[in-house]
Amino acid sequence: HTTSGVGTTKNCTDCHLSSRNDNNAWITQLLGFGTGTVNFFGRYAYVAAGKEGYRAVIWTESEEPQAVIGSHLQKLAYPANYLAHLLTGSVLKEAYEHHGDVQDLTLRGEYLYTANGADGFEVFDVANIDQKGFSERMVSSPVSPLGQRTYVRTKFATSVALPSTLAIDPARQHLPANEEQPIDPFYAYAYVTDLHEGLVIVNVATLVDGNPENNFLRKDAVFNPGGVLDGARYVAAAGHRLFICARKGLFVVDVTEPTNPRLVGQLMDGSLRNPRAVTTQFRYAFVTDDDGLKVLDITDPSRPDPLPQATVRLRDAQRLYVARTYAYVANGAEGLAIVDIENPTKPHLFEMYNAEGALTDTRAVQIGSVNASMFALVADGRNGLRVLQLISPDTVPGAAGFSPAPNPQLIATYPIKGGEALAVSRGLDRDRVVDETGGQTVVFGRRGARPFHLNEMQAFLRHREGGDLFQVDDVVMNDGALSTRSGKILEEPVNLLLPEMPEPLLPGPDDFGTIHGSD
């Protein structure tokens, strides 16, 4: 694919695994898994506040450009509002609240899905959050308590995950002329961890089918084989695989058939001490525990392989977020730990940010973009919600690049009186078109267009089925000699251009779609 002979347009590692293992995030983007950096944050930030329920905090302007309050863009577009914000001590003033015992929450479409502690799993209708004509903007029974039941009682729900924050309906009718790919059934479900029941699976597709008469949720499956998921406190979905942190270790659950989950992998060798949260990026899982941030090789997801050398020691690592080549870890009293994971096998601390001592109780973090800037929403425990501007054209050189180094700045705070900020809802997935198991999440623009299926991804990455990984290096010209970027001199002649293709392989005007590829 290098059109200029020495790869100045595209290099080998733009499309294949690097032998230096430094393009994991790039290949994640290439395959369409999403990088998590351009997720869209709306006008409201939804914050779990434990015994104080949850808050919907206004943190942007209501008009276009929808500038974040306290940001560089607000300073340019709304100077009077920006000055008023500074004069209040950069405190956000407006928010709406709902009671409960909310430990975790995820916004998808018009609904907020919550792990509600002793009340179990509960879904709130937030469609009218910005409708001042409604006296109750967030409700659990918008029709009537008798007309629906959008909750499921569990003993103590701790976290909730959905495979996507897009409002996907697997049962949506397709027009045959569009040649759309089917949406996998596991997108119909919410996956809830419970301290005592393990994994609870709930079909929530009735909330997006346009029919208000069938919204009666129930436990479609409860999964805790042999008690291995006792103490389950966090779940992350990577396609039809769930990664669950529990008291005994890390567990991988297959939900290809959501009502018949299967335990397909586990890590209970003691390499993880009290795992707290997990997230994945292509071939690696990132886990926080008593020791800090640890990296697991999940090239084979059924056999998560700990990498002892890939540990970043942190005093109080809590929930985390991976955005391209950086991992953002809520690190309790020390603030926000920003870890360089360009090479996931060699992570290192890039910066420990505490806003000059202001961040003292960080519990969770979410990353997303508003206009041309990237922000972090941080649940800072007893201090409430913190808004950090991470990347802005005025503070970060090369801000438009793939993964510029963040320059965090605290620009706004919302205190929660009497409560603690425990978690923040993830933004809307914007660059995720397929999941880690090949499930398509969006309809592509062209008829019949689709991303890779799982078997095609495997063929793309390995020499053969079950074989070694296919890894490459880029070729560059140095003083007239060809070498790889790692410095190896190439003594043998190398043809950098595509060889001439045999005549029979050249497609004719009627052959498109019939030739599947060749060497």
Side-chain angles (χ1 to χ4, degrees):
H1 307 294
T2 56
T3 60
S4 61
V6 292
T8 56
T9 304
K10 281 289 184 182
N11 292 303
C12 304
T13 57
D14 286 310
C15 298
H16 300 285
L17 296 178
S18 167
S19 60
R20 293 175 295 165
N21 205 37
D22 60 356
N23 67 344
N24 190 68
W26 185 269
I27 299 298
T28 302
Q29 174 182 262
L30 175 77
L31 293 176
F33 297 154
T35 62
T37 56
V38 295
N39 287 4
F40 177 70
F41 282 138
R43 186 173 182 232
Y44 291 85
Y46 290 88
V47 185
K51 296 291 186 180
E52 291 297 312
Y54 68 88
R55 301 288 188 275
V57 182
I58 293 179
W59 70 297
T60 76
E61 296 282 356
S62 60
E63 300 177 352
E64 293 293 340
Q66 193 178 349
V68 171
I69 297 172
S71 69
H72 176 67
L73 178 59
Q74 191 196 32
K75 181 179 180 180
L76 297 177
Y78 306 93
N81 293 357
Y82 178 78
L83 179 59
H85 175 66
L86 295 183
L87 291 177
T88 65
S90 299
V91 175
L92 300 172
K93 294 297 186 179
E94 190 172 356
Y96 302 98
E97 62 183 77
H98 200 288
H99 61 82
D101 184 11
V102 181
Q103 307 294 310
D104 192 21
L105 70 181
T106 297
L107 178 70
R108 188 178 75 173
E110 298 178 345
Y111 294 95
L112 186 69
Y113 303 78
T114 69
N116 208 0
D119 288 332
F121 169 68
E122 187 161 358
V123 183
F124 296 90
D125 187 321
V126 295
N128 294 293
I129 182 67
D130 223 17
Q131 170 60 276
K132 64 181 181 181
F134 278 66
S135 59
E136 184 67 39
R137 301 182 184 224
M138 303 175 290
V139 295
S140 56
S141 300
V143 181
S144 78
L146 300 179
Q148 65 182 51
R149 184 178 62 250
T150 57
Y151 62 85
V152 171
R153 296 297 182 227
T154 72
K155 293 182 179 179
F156 197 94
T158 52
S159 75
V160 57
L162 294 96
S164 173
T165 52
L166 299 171
I168 298 171
D169 180 12
R172 185 175 70 90
Q173 295 298 312
H174 297 171
L175 294 177
N178 291 340
E179 300 179 18
E180 297 178 31
Q181 300 294 303
I183 300 297
D184 282 293
F186 60 82
Y187 279 96
Y189 294 80
Y191 304 95
V192 184
T193 55
D194 186 275
L195 286 179
H196 308 286
E197 299 184 51
L199 174 65
V200 179
I201 301 176
V202 181
N203 188 332
V204 293
T206 59
L207 301 178
V208 296
D209 64 1
N211 180 7
E213 297 181 352
N214 62 357
N215 295 341
F216 292 86
L217 304 183
R218 64 179 186 273
K219 293 180 182 178
D220 291 279
V222 178
F223 185 69
N224 189 10
V228 296
L229 297 182
D230 287 348
R233 60 190 301 182
Y234 195 83
V235 57
H240 59 65
R241 299 189 191 98
L242 306 178
F243 291 81
I244 299 176
C245 292
R247 187 178 301 120
K248 297 178 181 178
L250 181 75
F251 301 89
V252 185
V253 178
D254 187 295
V255 288
T256 304
E257 298 179 36
T259 58
N260 185 30
R262 298 180 301 113
L263 182 64
V264 295
Q266 60 188 31
L267 183 61
M268 294 194 299
D269 62 356
S271 57
L272 296 177
R273 298 199 311 129
N274 189 27
R276 296 166 181 167
V278 58
T279 190
T280 65
Q281 186 188 72
F282 190 29
R283 293 177 52 222
Y284 297 93
F286 301 85
V287 184
T288 55
D289 71 354
D290 286 346
D291 297 323
L293 174 66
K294 294 179 178 178
V295 183
L296 313 178
D297 187 325
I298 56 169
T299 304
D300 179 354
S302 64
R303 300 177 61 185
D305 183 19
L307 306 175
Q309 79 283 6
T311 296
V312 176
R313 299 286 175 178
L314 300 172
R315 290 182 58 184
D316 191 17
Q318 302 292 324
R319 296 190 179 188
L320 74 163
Y321 191 102
V322 169
R324 291 186 175 156
T325 61
Y326 293 93
Y328 299 82
V329 185
N331 190 32
E334 293 189 328
L336 184 68
I338 304 176
V339 180
D340 187 318
I341 56 167
E342 183 176 19
N343 183 339
T345 65
K346 300 177 181 178
H348 59 275
L349 184 66
F350 172 77
E351 181 179 0
M352 188 71 72
Y353 179 76
N354 64 10
E356 297 181 351
L359 276 66
T360 60
D361 192 22
T362 58
R363 311 289 186 88
V365 58
Q366 298 285 354
I367 307 295
S369 296
V370 180
N371 293 293
S373 299
M374 192 170 84
F375 297 87
L377 295 178
V378 180
D380 193 21
R382 59 182 176 273
N383 301 312
L385 172 69
R386 304 285 200 179
V387 180
L388 308 183
Q389 183 164 289
L390 295 175
I391 296 175
S392 179
D394 65 309
T395 60
V396 176
F402 173 67
S403 189
N407 181 14
Q409 296 177 337
L410 176 61
I411 61 172
T413 297
Y414 178 78
I416 299 176
K417 295 180 180 179
E420 299 176 324
L422 304 181
V424 184
S425 177
R426 181 182 176 92
L428 182 71
D429 294 325
R430 293 178 72 189
D431 62 350
R432 183 173 171 86
V433 298
V434 67
D435 62 48
E436 291 78 359
T437 51
Q440 187 167 326
T441 65
V442 297
V443 177
F444 279 47
R446 293 187 178 185
R447 190 180 78 178
R450 63 168 178 82
F452 286 142
H453 291 155
L454 182 59
N455 62 327
E456 294 166 330
M457 295 181 198
Q458 295 298 324
F460 186 76
L461 303 172
R462 296 184 181 276
H463 288 283
R464 60 188 180 281
E465 184 176 354
D468 295 334
L469 292 173
F470 177 63
Q471 295 177 297
V472 301
D473 207 337
D474 296 331
V475 178
V476 296
M477 186 75 74
N478 290 319
D479 297 327
L482 291 175
S483 68
T484 66
R485 292 190 184 277
S486 58
K488 179 181 179 181
I489 302 298
L490 301 178
E491 298 179 355
E492 297 295 327
V494 177
N495 182 5
L496 296 178
L497 300 178
L498 291 175
E500 294 184 5
M501 296 179 67
E503 186 66 26
L505 291 181
L506 294 175
D510 300 324
D511 291 335
F512 290 101
T514 63
I515 294 178
H516 300 290
S518 70
D519 292 336

